[in-house]
């Protein structure tokens, strides 16, 4: 018996070993074929390196002082003074373009001793746009270049290779393939991609929460001057700054209490903010679910069983006629909602008429689930197609 | 008192205030303030989550547990994305205040945070979800068996929806004239009818059921009947 089991375990061990060896060879073959294909694509085909181009435009701002009196509304409507949308609620000094027409009218004057700020903005170009720009730059004679069927503008914009974006496309392609490698089996490359995803997405949501919620809603109330100086220059001035500051300490305290969960002792302290969160959710959901889900859905169900449609008779007069399909649709809708609700009603036994109605309800539910399943699969396949498009078109340029 | 009574009072007071704020214009601003606080706490919850992630992964790395290298990758990628975002590395200046570095947009491509989103987070997330197509298809192939009426309905509807939303619909039933009496048999029309009437009815009943459940649970919480959250401390 023991000899038998020993031979079994030996067989299993040798099977595992041969499986591992086969797996290794599969990976080696896959990498070899992939590397050769990639090398051929990179060096033998045009645009095989997935090089990305950006259009460079430079921007410049100079600091200007608003001349009080020159523009009566200048300080009352500071948002209009800036060339961009962000309002500067308390700024007497503003940043404007050097060619701002208000310099000429005397509404604003240049602040001496402050250097202008110059920076570049980049616009990522598609392959087609890059090819068109390249054609323009190659011509260089001011005549319109023709790429394909499109005649393009004469002025060639400043375009250059973007190494960051080119590298980004390669990284994105590698990560896409790394995730797809899980379809074969769990492997270290997939695990690297998975770990990256966890770290990056956690930081993404944290940074988003910091800049979109904590800074404008919390820090801006506790230290408005600091926030205005270092993060949100367009921060408005509150009418009740003291009250805002005192009130802001409530969520700040609750926030610290919530973070107490990370401490080894006193975890119960976090129950207070948790109670606040649950209470808020319950209060919001109680009203929202009754209004938006219960009442709205019930109202949408109550349609006339016989539906009419406007049409024209043989002499061209507008008449109302019974729309058979719409009527059937209404009846099916009402029967479906009622029968499914009967199925969900567990306080009475599903026997007799109730049982039959509940059975019809199950059929409706099955059709609903089948439809949801079909739509989910379609959605996932669309995503898959997009990833494949990225690999074949954006990365390998096999279009 | 501190562990049970005060949390119950906090929960009931905030929840009731929001319900009252909905009906009374006089307490509308109270409700808005409570909502502001809620959003702040939700943002703090991200910090809590990140703290937890760091604690778990740091412990793995420091004790050299199995897979500690992956934990290190998680930590490094978290740190990189966090620093890029908080300090707005490479962000385009805000044209209204180009001298204030942190006033620039942290999202968008020229910034390092935007680059990480565009070329790391976005492809990883999209591919993860795309891969589910294979697993859903595989699970469906194993589990779907047309052995009774319910299963046939589920399978048949899924099949019709999949056919009707693709070119197969035109291929199979495109020959039926649109204005004929049999136009309802065209797969695209069948798909529309199923989704608009039958599955909408089912989904509507499910939504009504959920709404009743949510309202009942909310009331139980606000009235202090459900206290299960107190054991989370």
């Amino acid at each position: 018996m023991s000899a038998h089991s020993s031979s079994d375990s030996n067989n299993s061990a040798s099977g595992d070993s041969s499986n591992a060896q086969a797996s290794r060879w599969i990976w080696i073959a896959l990498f070899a074929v992939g590397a050769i294909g990639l090398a051929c694509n990179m060096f033998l085909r045009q645009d095989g390196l997935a090089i990305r181009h950006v259009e460079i435009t430079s921007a410049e701002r100079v600091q200007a002082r608003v001349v009080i009196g020159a523009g009566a509304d200048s300080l009352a409507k500071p948002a209009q003074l800036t060339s961009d949308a962000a309002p500067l609620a308390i700024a007497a000094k503003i940043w404007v373009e050097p060619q701002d027409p208000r310099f000429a009218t005397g509404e604003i004057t240049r602040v001496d001793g402050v250097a202008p700020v110059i920076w570049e903005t980049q616009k990522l170009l598609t392959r087609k746009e890059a090819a068109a720009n390249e054609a323009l730059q190659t011509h260089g004679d001011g005549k319109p270049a023709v790429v394909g069927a499109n005649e393009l503008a004469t002025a060639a914009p400043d375009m250059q290779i973007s190494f960051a974006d080119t590298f980004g496309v390669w990284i994105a392609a590698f990560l896409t393939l790394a995730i797809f490698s899980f379809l074969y089996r769990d492997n270290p490359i997939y695990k690297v991609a998975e770990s990256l995803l966890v770290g990056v997405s956690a930081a993404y949501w944290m940074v988003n929460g910091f800049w979109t919620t904590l800074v404008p809603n919390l820090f801006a109330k506790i230290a408005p001057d600091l926030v205005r100086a270092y993060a949100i220059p367009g921060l408005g001035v509150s009418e009740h700054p003291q009250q805002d500051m005192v009130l802001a300490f409530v969520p700040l305290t609750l926030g610290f209490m919530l973070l107490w969960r990370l401490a080894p002792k006193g975890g119960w302290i976090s129950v207070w903010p948790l109670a606040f969160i649950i209470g808020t959710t319950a209060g919001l959901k109680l009203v929202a679910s009754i209004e938006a889900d219960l009442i709205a859905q019930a109202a949408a169900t109550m349609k006339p069983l016989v539906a009419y449609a406007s049409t024209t008779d043989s002499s061209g007069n507008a008449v109302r006629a019974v729309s058979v399909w719409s009527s059937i649709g209404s009846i099916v809708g009402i029967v479906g909602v009622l029968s499914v609700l009967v199925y969900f009603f567990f306080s009475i036994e599903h026997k007799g008429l109730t049982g039959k109605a509940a059975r019809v309800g199950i059929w409706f539910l099955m059709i609903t689930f089948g439809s949801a399943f079909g739509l989910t699969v379609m959605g996932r396949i669309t995503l898959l197609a997009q990833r494949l498009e990225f690999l074949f078109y954006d990365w390998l340029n096999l279009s | 008192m501190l562990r049970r009574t005060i949390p119950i009072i906090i929960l009931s007071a905030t929840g009731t205030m929001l319900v009252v704020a909905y009906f009374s214009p006089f307490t509308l601003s109270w409700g808005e303030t409570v909502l502001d606080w809620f959003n702040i706490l939700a943002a703090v919850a991200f910090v809590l989550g990140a703290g937890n992630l760091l604690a778990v992964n740091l412990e793995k790395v420091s004790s050299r547990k199995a897979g500690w290298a992956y934990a290190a990758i998680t930590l490094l990628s978290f740190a990189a994305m966090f620093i890029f975002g908080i300090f707005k590395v490479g962000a385009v200046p805000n044209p209204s205040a180009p001298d204030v570095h942190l006033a620039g947009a942290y999202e968008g491509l020229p910034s390092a945070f935007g680059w990480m989103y565009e070329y790391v987070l976005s492809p990883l997330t999209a591919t993860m979800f795309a891969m589910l197509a294979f697993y859903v298809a595989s699970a469906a192939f194993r589990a779907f068996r047309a052995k009774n009426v319910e299963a046939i309905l589920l399978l048949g509807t899924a099949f019709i929806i999949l056919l009707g939303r693709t070119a197969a619909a035109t291929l199979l039933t495109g020959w039926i004239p649109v204005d004929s009496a049999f136009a309802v048999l065209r797969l695209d029309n069948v798909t529309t009818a199923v989704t608009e009437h039958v599955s909408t009815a089912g989904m509507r009943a499910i939504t009504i059921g959920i709404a009743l459940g949510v309202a009942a649970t909310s009331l139980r919480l606000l009235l202090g009947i459900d206290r299960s959250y107190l054991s989370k401390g």
Side-chain angles (χ1 to χ4, degrees):
Chain A
M1 183 76 176
S2 67
H4 186 69
S5 73
S6 161
S7 102
D8 274 358
S9 69
N10 283 341
N11 284 342
S12 148
S14 68
D16 284 350
S17 153
S18 65
N19 275 346
Q21 206 160 12
S23 166
R24 195 177 306 132
W25 279 113
I26 286 172
W27 277 111
I28 290 171
L30 212 64
F31 273 113
V33 170
I36 292 167
L38 208 56
C40 290
N41 188 60
M42 280 162 64
F43 301 115
L44 301 181
R45 292 184 66 243
Q46 200 184 1
D47 282 344
L49 282 166
I51 288 173
R52 288 286 172 276
H53 293 83
V54 285
E55 192 181 300
I56 309 282
T57 45
S58 104
E60 184 181 354
R61 291 290 183 277
V62 293
Q63 202 173 38
R65 183 177 288 111
V66 179
V67 179
I68 298 176
D73 294 340
S74 298
L75 285 172
K77 294 176 182 172
Q80 293 176 356
L81 296 173
T82 60
S83 49
D84 296 281
L88 290 174
I90 60 159
K93 288 176 184 171
I94 55 172
W95 290 89
V96 293
E97 287 179 32
Q99 303 83 18
D100 195 295
R102 286 171 296 174
F103 281 120
T105 59
E107 284 178 62
I108 52 176
T109 56
R110 180 89 180 256
V111 176
D112 295 327
V114 179
V117 181
I118 302 167
W119 71 94
E120 283 182 345
T121 55
Q122 300 182 352
K123 183 195 160 205
L124 189 61
L125 299 175
T126 60
R127 273 215 174 84
K128 203 174 171 186
E129 288 169 337
N133 282 350
E134 210 158 35
L136 274 175
Q137 284 174 350
T138 314
H139 271 59
D141 53 2
K143 286 178 187 169
V146 176
V147 174
N150 302 324
E151 190 171 285
L152 298 157
T154 49
D158 191 6
M159 184 182 78
Q160 65 182 41
I161 291 174
S162 168
F163 292 104
D165 290 304
T166 306
F167 181 60
V169 170
W170 280 83
I171 290 288
F174 168 75
L175 292 176
T176 304
L177 291 175
I179 296 288
F180 277 143
S181 71
F182 188 75
L183 289 171
Y184 171 59
R185 68 194 314 180
D186 198 5
N187 64 80
I189 297 172
Y190 169 77
K191 280 182 179 163
V192 167
E194 191 188 35
S195 311
L196 260 176
L197 175 62
V198 173
V200 168
S201 58
Y204 175 81
W205 289 111
M206 197 171 151
V207 169
N208 242 351
F210 179 79
W211 283 115
T212 58
T213 308
L214 290 182
V215 172
N217 293 350
L218 182 67
F219 300 144
K221 286 174 182 165
I222 291 172
D225 293 335
L226 200 70
V227 170
R228 202 173 284 119
Y230 291 104
I232 314 176
L235 184 70
V237 181
S238 167
E239 288 176 10
H240 316 287
Q242 297 293 330
Q243 186 189 330
D244 284 352
M245 189 195 283
V246 171
L247 283 177
F249 274 100
V250 178
L252 185 71
T253 312
L254 287 173
F256 276 120
M257 290 169 84
L258 190 64
L259 291 178
W260 206 281
R261 283 187 86 84
L262 295 172
K265 281 184 180 175
W268 65 270
I269 291 174
S270 67
V271 174
W272 287 23
L274 199 65
F276 179 84
I277 292 170
I278 295 171
T280 315
T281 313
L284 284 174
K285 290 282 178 187
L286 178 61
V287 178
S289 62
I290 289 177
E291 189 194 22
D293 293 339
L294 181 61
I295 296 174
Q297 295 296 333
T301 310
M302 291 175 199
K303 285 179 182 172
L305 290 181
V306 181
Y308 287 91
S310 296
T311 182
T312 50
D313 60 11
S314 53
S315 53
N317 299 321
V319 288
R320 285 179 80 215
V322 173
S323 170
V324 178
W325 288 114
S326 295
S327 302
I328 291 174
S330 297
I331 293 166
V332 168
I334 290 172
V335 169
V337 171
L338 291 178
S339 57
V340 176
L341 285 177
V342 167
Y343 171 69
F344 284 152
F345 196 65
F346 296 113
S347 298
I348 48 170
E349 206 175 345
H350 290 177
K351 271 184 176 176
L353 188 63
T354 314
K356 282 174 185 161
R359 189 156 170 75
V360 175
I362 294 174
W363 292 345
F364 270 91
L365 278 177
M366 286 300 130
I367 294 174
T368 307
F369 294 147
S371 169
F373 174 81
L375 292 173
T376 307
V377 171
M378 291 295 292
R380 301 291 181 231
I381 288 174
T382 308
L383 270 177
L384 179 64
Q386 283 172 356
R387 294 322 299 159
L388 295 178
E389 264 181 17
F390 166 76
L391 287 177
F392 290 120
Y393 297 161
D394 295 345
W395 179 43
L396 297 174
N397 191 25
L398 295 178
S399 55
Chain B
M1 172 78 177
L2 289 175
R3 296 184 184 211
R4 297 187 69 85
T5 313
I6 291 183
I8 291 171
I9 292 170
I10 292 174
L11 191 152
S12 299
T14 48
T16 311
M17 191 179 291
L18 279 168
V19 174
V20 172
Y22 180 79
F23 294 103
S24 163
F26 303 109
T27 51
L28 199 63
S29 64
W30 297 4
E32 283 167 3
T33 306
V34 169
L35 266 182
D36 268 353
W37 294 355
F38 175 75
N39 288 332
I40 290 168
L41 278 182
V44 173
F46 284 126
V47 181
L48 179 69
N52 247 325
L53 183 84
L54 290 181
V56 169
N57 284 289
L58 277 173
E59 202 269 325
K60 255 188 189 176
V61 173
S62 62
S63 59
R64 294 285 196 277
K65 276 185 185 168
W68 67 270
Y70 301 119
I73 290 171
T74 302
L75 287 173
L76 285 176
S77 57
F78 176 87
M81 189 75 165
F82 180 75
I83 290 168
F84 291 161
I86 291 292
F87 296 107
K88 299 191 175 180
V89 178
V92 174
N94 182 343
S96 301
D99 56 335
V100 182
H101 170 70
L102 290 179
Y106 65 98
E107 287 178 302
L109 248 190
S111 72
F113 188 81
W115 188 93
M116 289 285 278
Y117 176 80
E118 188 71 26
Y119 296 118
V120 178
L121 182 58
S122 184
L124 281 174
T125 318
T127 315
M128 276 281 184
F129 280 107
M131 212 168 56
L132 286 182
F134 292 102
Y135 292 108
V136 170
S138 157
F141 182 73
R142 289 160 199 237
F144 279 6
R145 293 285 181 271
K147 53 190 173 193
N148 54 33
V149 180
E150 287 82 11
I152 290 169
L153 283 173
L154 196 145
L155 195 62
T157 311
F159 195 61
I160 287 170
I161 296 283
L162 284 171
L163 285 179
R165 293 284 168 115
T166 56
T170 318
L171 205 70
L172 293 172
T173 56
W175 52 271
I176 301 174
V178 183
D179 51 356
S180 74
F182 299 101
V184 285
L185 296 176
R186 286 170 64 102
L187 265 176
D188 46 345
N189 289 339
V190 175
T191 305
T192 309
V194 167
T195 49
E196 274 188 8
H197 300 298
V198 188
S199 75
T200 301
M203 202 48 87
R204 198 166 270 164
I206 292 171
T207 310
I208 290 172
I210 291 172
L212 288 170
V214 168
T217 309
S218 300
L219 269 179
R220 282 171 60 83
L221 283 163
L222 295 186
L223 297 174
I225 299 167
D226 189 342
R227 300 178 181 189
S228 52
Y229 62 94
L230 291 174
S231 60
K232 297 234 174 2

